[in-house]
Amino acid sequence: MSHPVLTLSPKEALNFEGTKVTLHCKTQGYSRGTSYKFYHEHVLLKHKSARFEKGASISFLLTEEHSGNYYCTADNGRGPERSKAVRLSVTVPVSRPVLTFGSLEDLNFEGATATLHCEAQRGSLPILYQFYHEDVILGRRSAHYTGGVAITFSLTAEHSGNYYCTADNGRGPQRSEAMKLFITGQSFKETVSFGPMLVTECPVLAGQRSSLSFLSDKTIIPGWKTNKNPVASPYAPNMDV
């Protein structure tokens, strides 16, 4: 009896988790008394085998743990003959990714730097991530490591709207939930000097009417509750605005 030959079906490059796979073990010198066994990483598989002409087969649904080397043996009473090993790689589909914004408290200012991070908690690598703003692609990154990917860009007024990302490792993209971002205008700071030692800064939004109040020990400093143009205060003799 010749050495058996082990084959897998389907013969797809990507065998996704949940796919049904069949192992076939064939021999040329077949006899009715031949017994067949299947092994995964030298561990005997206990799946029930089906006999066919010149061989046998077993079938099972793939899980991530099924990745590895397989071989079979055929024994007609004169000792087992072993096939060459065949490697099976199981691809875990990506889970739904999660989109997050970096530094949320700073993201609503025009001119600020925004960071979008997209990560699928589960899925075989590599994973292709793509970022979208109102269904228009912003960028794409391929991840060969866990932890997801990120893109960074400077905000303009046109960046207001809905954002989402997708993750794909070969079985089709999974899409994150959408997140909405509002851009309120450019941020700058009003600087006020109180004497030679104390300098106070207050953020202001450009293009919006802003009311500024400076406080000392939780008390508003007289003369400094103002709409952009502060008036003189006896508590602040040296003022640079």
Side-chain angles (χ1 to χ4, degrees):
M1 183 177 65
S2 63
H3 287 281
V5 176
L6 178 67
T7 58
L8 279 68
S9 64
K11 296 180 180 180
E12 298 178 359
L14 293 175
N15 290 288
F16 283 97
E17 190 176 45
T19 302
K20 183 179 180 180
V21 167
T22 301
L23 306 183
H24 304 271
C25 190
K26 296 182 179 181
T27 56
Q28 295 298 322
Y30 173 75
S31 65
R32 291 184 179 274
T34 301
S35 63
Y36 297 89
K37 294 181 180 180
F38 297 84
Y39 294 84
H40 173 222
E41 299 295 349
H42 306 292
V43 177
L44 177 65
L45 296 176
K46 297 182 179 180
H47 301 280
K48 185 177 180 180
S49 63
R51 300 297 292 266
F52 59 93
E53 185 180 1
K54 296 184 179 180
S57 65
I58 62 172
S59 299
F60 51 89
L61 296 178
L62 291 177
T63 66
E64 188 175 6
E65 291 72 25
H66 283 123
S67 291
N69 294 307
Y70 291 81
Y71 64 89
C72 67
T73 61
D75 188 354
N76 61 359
R78 299 180 180 179
E81 295 287 345
R82 174 176 163 171
S83 71
K84 291 183 179 180
V86 175
R87 183 160 187 82
L88 175 63
S89 296
V90 180
T91 301
V92 180
V94 294
S95 58
R96 188 177 189 181
V98 176
L99 177 68
T100 54
F101 286 109
S103 302
L104 277 174
E105 66 277 5
D106 298 327
L107 281 181
N108 59 340
F109 295 126
E110 187 176 5
T113 298
T115 299
L116 302 183
H117 182 266
C118 187
E119 180 180 1
Q121 296 293 328
R122 193 168 185 267
S124 298
L125 300 171
I127 299 174
L128 176 64
Y129 291 94
Q130 298 190 114
F131 297 84
Y132 293 84
H133 171 227
E134 300 294 352
D135 298 320
V136 177
I137 190 166
L138 286 174
R140 65 186 67 192
R141 300 285 188 275
S142 184
H144 296 266
Y145 49 85
T146 59
V149 298
I151 62 171
T152 301
F153 54 95
S154 296
L155 292 175
T156 66
E158 291 72 25
H159 281 121
S160 289
N162 293 305
Y163 291 79
Y164 65 89
C165 68
T166 62
D168 187 5
N169 65 352
R171 200 171 190 175
Q174 292 291 317
R175 175 175 165 168
S176 72
E177 293 185 1
M179 295 186 68
K180 196 168 188 67
L181 180 64
F182 295 96
I183 310 301
T184 56
Q186 188 174 8
S187 173
F188 64 94
K189 292 181 178 180
E190 286 286 0
T191 302
V192 181
S193 298
F194 296 94
M197 300 297 294
L198 178 61
V199 176
T200 302
E201 291 184 337
C202 183
V204 181
L205 292 179
Q208 297 189 9
R209 187 176 179 84
S210 302
S211 178
L212 304 180
S213 297
F214 292 89
L215 294 85
S216 174
D217 195 22
K218 301 182 181 180
T219 301
I220 295 178
I221 299 176
W224 276 99
K225 183 172 178 56
T226 174
N227 291 325
K228 187 69 171 60
N229 296 312
V231 298
S233 167
Y235 295 89
N238 297 315
M239 298 172 290
D240 295 320
V241 180

